[in-house]
């Protein structure tokens, strides 16, 4: 499809213009919100398959976000108000399918912005972004490089925020001195391994073995867990394993009698893990993603409208499906909407410029556009991030920690470990 775009004589600028016209053609200048005045947003993420837990709940959250915004009058641009509509494409976490989906969303659906999970699918999409200038978002800043000018990471700073959980653990449980770690060997696992290694080193926690990198096709985790706990660690770190791995690993840790601390990037659907193990076993499990009924999210620092109401509505519609990404794509849309209204336009260039003016209203507080040292470009919105622990069968925020403050003190360690795993932007490109 892209070759057809190029052969047709469309340049990046004329393509952008035609895309904007397509989007704007649904609305009449000066018209109030009405049927037909619609801005379309692309949702290009895994909706099926092993990584669907980081796609489908996000789309479900976006539908709630859209209903809220449309009921409140829509998105107000210089020529009137527009309703918002999400157009989804299931990329099945496959780069080729992601590329096909990006092209379809732009050429056939006329979207003004595309949200992605990122990771292994971004290389498939980047040529489309380069040729069209479409604004994309990723939940994985490790996708960023100086060559990704139209890619932003405004919600999640994976995997850098994982340092906050280790830092909190070291301060609150100083008796924990040793750790082991496992992860799937892919674009999600490796940068997270480097980050956790830096965080453990900064905290003075000894790694008893090199990180155990398992094949993403692994289904039997008994040998993985047997090897992990063979050195009797105080901490088992699950890195950024997918939910389909976190659950059987936790179950194996329970069955093989591990009594120590577990730390993980995510604990999606932790109620199912409790059911497979026990509330006692999961007590104190540390991770990075809160439930949005948490009282700590009602503070003045939070830039997410009515988090408790959003959480209640999500769970009413999708019981048992709340996870790490349920709110993140909706949070990105808060930033996109504010930028579009500030610019008075939904065009990708105008929204991107408005979004990056000054501090950003990140869900967990005001934050700065950051990242040149690690990603080669300041396209990641970075500030505070919560540390969450399971207490009495329920996730609760224990603290908010500053990622930039940690980096100011230990950034050299992060760079060292990122280089060791070939995860710096100039090693990935």
């Amino acid at each position: 499809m892209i070759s057809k775009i190029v052969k047709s004589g469309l340049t990046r600028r004329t393509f952008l213009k035609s895309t904007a016209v397509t989007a704007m053609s649904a609305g009449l200048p000066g018209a109030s919100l009405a049927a037909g005045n619609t801005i379309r947003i692309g949702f290009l993420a895994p909706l099926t398959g092993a990584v669907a837990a980081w796609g489908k709940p996000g789309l479900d959250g976006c539908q709630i976000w859209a209903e809220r915004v449309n009921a409140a009058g829509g998105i107000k641009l210089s020529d009137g108000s527009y309703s918002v509509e999400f157009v989804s494409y299931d990329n099945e976490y496959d780069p080729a399918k992601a590329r096909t989906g990006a092209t379809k969303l732009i050429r056939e659906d006329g979207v003004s912005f595309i949200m992605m999970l990122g990771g292994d699918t971004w290389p498939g999409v980047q040529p489309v972004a380069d040729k069209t200038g479409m604004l994309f978002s990723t939940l994985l800043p490790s996708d960023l490089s100086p060559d990704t000018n139209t890619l932003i990471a405004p919600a999640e700073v994976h995997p850098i925020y994982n340092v906050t959980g280790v830092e909190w653990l070291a301060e609150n449980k100083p008796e924990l001195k040793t750790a082991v770690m496992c992860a799937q060997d892919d674009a999600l696992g490796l940068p997270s391994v480097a980050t956790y290694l830096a965080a453990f080193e900064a905290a003075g926690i000894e790694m008893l073995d090199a990180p155990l990198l398992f094949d993403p096709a692994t289904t039997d985790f008994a040998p993985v867990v047997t090897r992990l706990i063979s050195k009797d660690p105080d901490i088992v770190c699950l890195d950024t394993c997918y939910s389909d791995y976190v659950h059987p690993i936790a179950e194996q840790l329970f069955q093989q009698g591990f009594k120590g601390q577990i730390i993980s990037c995510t604990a999606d659907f932790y109620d199912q893990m409790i059911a497979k193990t026990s509330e006692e076993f999961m007590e104190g499990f540390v991770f990075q993603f809160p439930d949005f009924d948490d009282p700590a999210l009602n503070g003045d620092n939070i830039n997410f409208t009515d988090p408790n109401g959003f959480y209640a509505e999500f769970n009413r519609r999708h019981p048992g499906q709340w996870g790490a990404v349920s709110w993140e794509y909706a949070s990105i849309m808060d930033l996109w909407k504010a930028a579009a209204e500030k610019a008075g336009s939904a065009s990708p260039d105008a929204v991107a410029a408005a979004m990056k003016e000054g501090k950003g209203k990140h869900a967990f507080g005001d934050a700065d556009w950051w990242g040149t040292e690690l990603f080669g470009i300041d396209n990641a919105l970075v500030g505070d991030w919560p540390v969450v622990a399971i207490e009495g069968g329920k996730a609760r925020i224990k603290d908010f920690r500053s990622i930039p403050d940690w980096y100011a003190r230990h950034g050299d360690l992060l760079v060292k470990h990122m280089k060791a795993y070939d995860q710096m932007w100039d090693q990935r490109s």
Side-chain angles (χ1 to χ4, degrees):
M1 181 64 77
I2 286 300
S3 62
K4 292 181 180 178
I5 294 172
V6 174
K7 289 177 181 177
S8 72
L10 285 174
T11 64
R12 175 182 178 278
R13 183 172 297 280
T14 56
F15 184 86
L16 268 179
K17 185 177 179 181
S18 70
T19 303
V21 168
T22 301
M24 297 296 284
S25 65
L28 298 174
S32 60
L33 179 61
N37 293 356
T38 303
I39 294 173
R40 289 182 165 183
I41 304 296
F43 192 93
L44 180 60
L47 303 178
T48 58
V51 197
W54 293 339
K56 179 63 166 56
L59 179 60
D60 294 337
C62 283
Q63 302 296 359
I64 296 171
W65 182 91
E67 291 175 22
R68 284 180 162 195
V69 168
N70 292 340
I75 296 171
K76 298 172 178 60
L77 304 184
S78 59
D79 59 351
S81 296
Y82 291 76
S83 62
V84 62
E85 173 187 344
F86 288 94
V87 184
S88 64
Y89 189 98
D90 180 8
N91 67 29
E92 302 177 42
Y93 204 57
D94 179 274
K97 291 180 180 177
R99 177 171 177 154
T100 300
T103 304
K104 176 188 178 295
L105 289 169
I106 296 170
R107 292 289 292 173
E108 299 179 19
D109 299 312
V111 301
S112 298
F113 174 49
I114 297 177
M115 292 188 289
M116 296 183 64
L117 168 63
D120 288 325
T121 57
W122 172 247
V125 170
Q126 186 170 354
V128 183
D130 292 344
K131 287 184 171 62
T132 65
M134 176 55 66
L135 181 63
F136 286 81
S137 68
T138 178
L139 297 186
L140 307 175
S142 48
D143 291 335
L144 299 175
S145 79
D147 296 328
T148 61
N149 291 322
T150 63
L151 181 67
I152 54 174
E156 181 170 346
V157 284
H158 178 274
I160 314 304
Y161 53 67
N162 286 326
V163 301
T164 63
V166 175
E167 183 183 59
W168 180 86
L169 203 58
E171 290 181 11
N172 288 274
K173 297 187 178 183
E175 69 277 14
L176 303 176
K177 299 295 186 184
T178 60
V180 295
M181 176 168 28
C182 69
Q184 73 277 348
D185 188 358
D186 70 0
L188 277 168
L190 293 177
S192 189
V193 163
T195 301
Y196 272 113
L197 287 174
F200 284 131
E201 183 173 344
I205 295 172
E206 178 189 1
M207 297 300 299
L208 294 178
D209 203 351
L212 194 167
L213 298 175
F214 57 82
D215 190 305
T218 301
T219 56
D220 180 6
F221 287 94
V224 172
V225 168
T226 299
R227 178 178 156 187
L228 276 177
I229 63 177
S230 64
K231 294 182 182 296
D232 194 24
D234 297 327
I235 303 169
V236 170
C237 175
L238 305 189
D239 197 71
T240 306
C241 287
Y242 306 145
S243 295
D244 284 356
Y245 305 147
V246 170
H247 284 226
I249 292 171
E251 194 171 354
Q252 276 296 319
L253 286 167
F254 172 72
Q255 291 179 359
Q256 295 189 33
F258 180 66
K259 304 291 186 184
Q261 176 71 47
I262 303 175
I263 186 170
S264 174
C265 178
T266 64
D268 292 336
F269 322 124
Y270 63 81
D271 57 328
Q272 297 176 23
M273 284 195 281
I274 291 173
K276 293 172 183 173
T277 60
S278 69
E279 187 173 303
E280 180 183 11
F281 175 77
M282 291 294 291
E283 183 74 11
F285 187 113
V286 170
F287 61 115
Q288 306 286 164
F289 289 88
D291 292 343
F292 266 35
D293 61 347
D294 199 303
L297 292 180
N298 294 324
D300 293 338
N301 59 315
I302 301 303
N303 297 312
F304 191 98
T305 302
D306 185 21
N308 297 171
F310 181 86
Y311 181 79
E313 181 60 18
F314 187 98
N315 281 288
R316 185 186 70 78
R317 298 188 190 189
H318 311 286
Q321 296 302 307
W322 179 269
V325 304
S326 299
W327 59 272
E328 288 191 309
Y329 298 99
S331 176
I332 291 173
M333 285 308 302
D334 277 340
L335 286 160
W336 185 92
K337 176 177 179 289
E341 292 183 335
K342 181 179 180 180
S345 168
S347 86
D349 284 349
V351 172
M355 189 180 287
K356 292 191 67 178
E357 284 183 7
K359 283 186 172 293
K361 296 289 185 182
H362 187 275
F364 301 130
D366 293 355
D368 294 313
W369 291 98
W370 178 90
T372 293
E373 289 187 31
L374 284 181
F375 313 124
I377 190 170
D378 286 331
N379 275 17
L381 191 59
V382 179
D384 290 349
W385 197 271
V387 178
V388 181
I390 295 176
E391 294 180 340
K394 178 66 176 170
R396 282 292 177 238
I397 293 175
K398 303 303 296 180
D399 201 358
F400 288 94
R401 296 262 166 158
S402 169
I403 300 165
D405 284 354
W406 183 94
Y407 189 82
R409 288 178 279 118
H410 306 296
D412 56 334
L413 295 178
L414 186 55
V415 170
K416 179 184 76 172
H417 288 289
M418 285 286 188
K419 285 183 176 178
Y421 279 85
D422 295 330
Q423 294 300 310
M424 292 295 287
W425 67 266
D426 54 343
Q427 294 173 305
R428 289 184 280 107
S429 60

